[in-house]
Amino acid sequence: MKNQKIVLYHVAAWVLYLAYSLIGIYIEEPKYPWSLMWLQSSFTLCMALEFYYCYRLVYPRFLNRERLLYLVVGLGSALLLFILCRYLLEENLYPLVLGFQNYSNGTSFSYYSIDNLYYATPMVVLSLVVYSVQDAFKKEKENKLLRQEKTQAELAFLKSQVNPHFLYNTLNYLYAQAYPVSEKLAEAILKLSDLMRYMLHDSPDGQVELEKEVDYLRSYIQIFRLRFEDRFFVDFQVEGSVEGQRIASLVLIPFVENAFKHGIADDAANPIRLQLAVKGQDLLFEVENHIHHHQKDQTTGIGLQNIKRRLELLYPNQHQLTIQNNGDVYLVTLHLRLGAVFGKTGPKRNSAAH
């Protein structure tokens, strides 16, 4: 429906322009209006062809994609389209059908082309203006929709914090009760309590220090290890400097959770592999696991569709997520652009958890 309205607006604009031009010709040249009206009609048709060639083909493909050479070639071909279209209609077809032409006999094509560059140029500019305005409105509408979705997600997250707060306070109580009985159990409860504290941590921009996010992943791995004791094999490698960087909180954990949920964690020959590499402000995070085809955890997680949407909201045009599944091995690769913590730097660190 919306596209139909846009088409109607365009058709109405051209019809009004042509009607205005023809009426003007009839008023100024009442004795010999028909030849001029035919020429004005063909002139308008050529302008329309040039306009939509730029508006629908050249600008959408080349204007905002850093393809300057293609853009220049496209605009040059648009000018040529106008010249050829008008030349074929007014200098070739009209003499055969209507018995007149626009330019005098003997006019060379080179002179005709140079003269018509003046008439062809305005449509290149006008189509750019129309396309840019329409594209700006489209992007503003998309940004408004993204802001609404982000607000709704934040409200849903705030509502979900009621139970985690209760659980966090309960864990602190359980830690105090368990410590006299079993120090190992108490330490596990304390680590789980730390995870809950991190999950409830908030910041004005929704981001945390990357170093804390990495520590959270390590703590999560240690908590999960309690279920398997010595039969739990995870290779977690961190390369590059994680200090002085910021990342959206809990944006990496869904991929780790998914690997633990559906992967094989008790095979020493094929451990779950987690690799996080930082170079400058570019982060690469890979999670690879062999797929468990038999027993599967039925608990619900965040879900890949939700994390994909979250990445689109948090890192628009600043991330790339690829997921590969050959039936035996599941590989997730995430590239994203980090934000810096101003005034904080740190040395390069290489660490691993096995």
Side-chain angles (χ1 to χ4, degrees):
M1 181 64 68
K2 182 179 178 180
N3 291 334
Q4 292 178 349
K5 288 184 177 179
I6 293 176
V7 171
L8 290 176
Y9 292 152
H10 280 251
V11 171
W14 286 108
V15 169
L16 289 175
Y17 170 77
L18 180 59
Y20 179 82
S21 301
L22 296 180
I23 292 173
I25 292 173
Y26 185 79
I27 294 174
E28 293 182 2
E29 300 289 342
K31 293 184 178 180
Y32 307 102
W34 299 113
S35 60
L36 294 177
M37 286 184 176
W38 276 104
L39 291 173
Q40 181 62 42
S41 299
S42 59
F43 180 76
T44 303
L45 174 62
C46 294
M47 286 197 304
L49 290 175
E50 181 189 14
F51 176 91
Y52 289 107
Y53 180 79
C54 295
Y55 174 78
R56 300 290 296 177
L57 182 63
V58 177
Y59 292 133
R61 293 191 178 187
F62 309 129
L63 182 60
N64 298 320
R65 302 185 182 181
E66 298 181 354
R67 305 174 73 178
L68 180 59
L69 179 60
Y70 291 97
L71 178 62
V72 172
V73 172
L75 295 179
S77 62
L79 297 174
L80 183 60
L81 175 65
F82 174 86
I83 295 171
L84 288 177
C85 177
R86 194 178 184 200
Y87 184 79
L88 291 174
L89 287 174
E90 298 176 0
E91 309 305 317
N92 291 271
L93 181 63
Y94 281 9
L96 294 176
V97 178
L98 302 176
F100 64 87
Q101 62 190 64
N102 190 11
Y103 284 69
S104 60
N105 291 327
T107 301
S108 65
F109 183 75
S110 59
Y111 175 85
Y112 185 91
S113 300
I114 295 173
D115 189 53
N116 274 270
L117 283 176
Y118 172 81
Y119 302 105
T121 303
M123 281 301 103
V124 173
V125 178
L126 179 61
S127 59
L128 173 61
V129 172
V130 174
Y131 174 79
S132 299
V133 171
Q134 183 173 325
D135 188 57
F137 277 109
K138 179 181 178 182
K139 289 181 178 178
E140 176 59 27
K141 185 176 181 180
E142 291 176 350
N143 290 335
K144 183 179 180 180
L145 180 61
L146 288 176
R147 288 193 296 267
Q148 290 175 348
E149 291 183 359
K150 186 177 181 180
T151 300
Q152 292 173 357
E154 290 174 350
L155 290 174
F157 179 72
L158 289 175
K159 292 179 180 179
S160 70
Q161 286 186 327
V162 176
N163 287 335
H165 272 296
F166 170 76
L167 181 58
Y168 168 62
N169 294 329
T170 303
L171 288 173
N172 287 336
Y173 170 78
L174 292 177
Y175 168 75
Q177 298 298 315
Y179 192 83
V181 179
S182 172
E183 185 175 347
K184 183 178 180 181
L185 175 61
E187 290 299 324
I189 295 175
L190 181 61
K191 191 172 289 292
L192 183 58
S193 177
D194 290 338
L195 292 182
M196 295 303 302
R197 182 187 296 112
Y198 180 81
M199 291 175 65
L200 295 173
H201 173 75
D202 194 15
S203 60
D205 59 357
Q207 295 195 347
V208 296
E209 297 177 23
L210 178 59
E211 186 176 10
K212 293 183 178 180
E213 184 80 1
V214 172
D215 290 340
Y216 175 78
L217 294 180
R218 290 197 179 95
S219 297
Y220 184 86
I221 294 172
Q222 293 301 324
I223 289 292
F224 215 91
R225 190 187 301 277
L226 296 175
R227 296 174 54 184
F228 296 88
E229 296 184 350
D230 295 333
R231 296 297 302 168
F232 183 70
F233 302 97
V234 176
D235 182 14
F236 182 24
Q237 299 287 338
V238 179
E239 300 178 357
S241 176
V242 297
E243 294 87 354
Q245 306 280 6
R246 289 177 69 81
I247 189 173
S249 63
L250 303 175
V251 77
L252 302 178
I253 191 63
F255 306 110
V256 179
E257 180 189 27
N258 190 67
F260 289 178
K261 180 179 178 181
H262 301 291
I264 301 174
D266 59 353
D267 184 0
N270 298 294
I272 295 175
R273 185 178 64 85
L274 313 175
Q275 183 172 1
L276 187 148
V278 179
K279 185 176 181 181
Q281 288 187 279
D282 293 321
L283 179 141
L284 170 65
F285 187 54
E286 288 188 347
V287 179
E288 182 181 36
N289 64 273
H290 285 257
I291 300 173
H292 203 307
H293 294 287
H294 303 291
Q295 183 179 0
K296 287 192 176 181
D297 187 353
Q298 298 300 320
T299 58
T300 59
I302 294 178
L304 290 179
Q305 291 301 323
N306 287 345
I307 190 60
K308 286 179 182 179
R309 188 55 181 158
R310 189 173 179 222
L311 285 170
E312 291 175 359
L313 294 171
L314 296 173
Y315 295 96
N317 302 318
Q318 293 184 328
H319 81 280
Q320 181 179 3
L321 176 65
T322 57
I323 299 176
Q324 303 176 46
N325 182 359
N326 64 7
D328 293 318
V329 178
Y330 200 86
L331 175 62
V332 175
T333 304
L334 173 65
H335 295 261
L336 60 81
R337 186 75 171 172
L338 296 169
V341 180
F342 297 103
K344 297 189 66 176
T345 57
K348 184 175 181 179
R349 182 179 70 175
N350 292 283
S351 58
H354 299 281

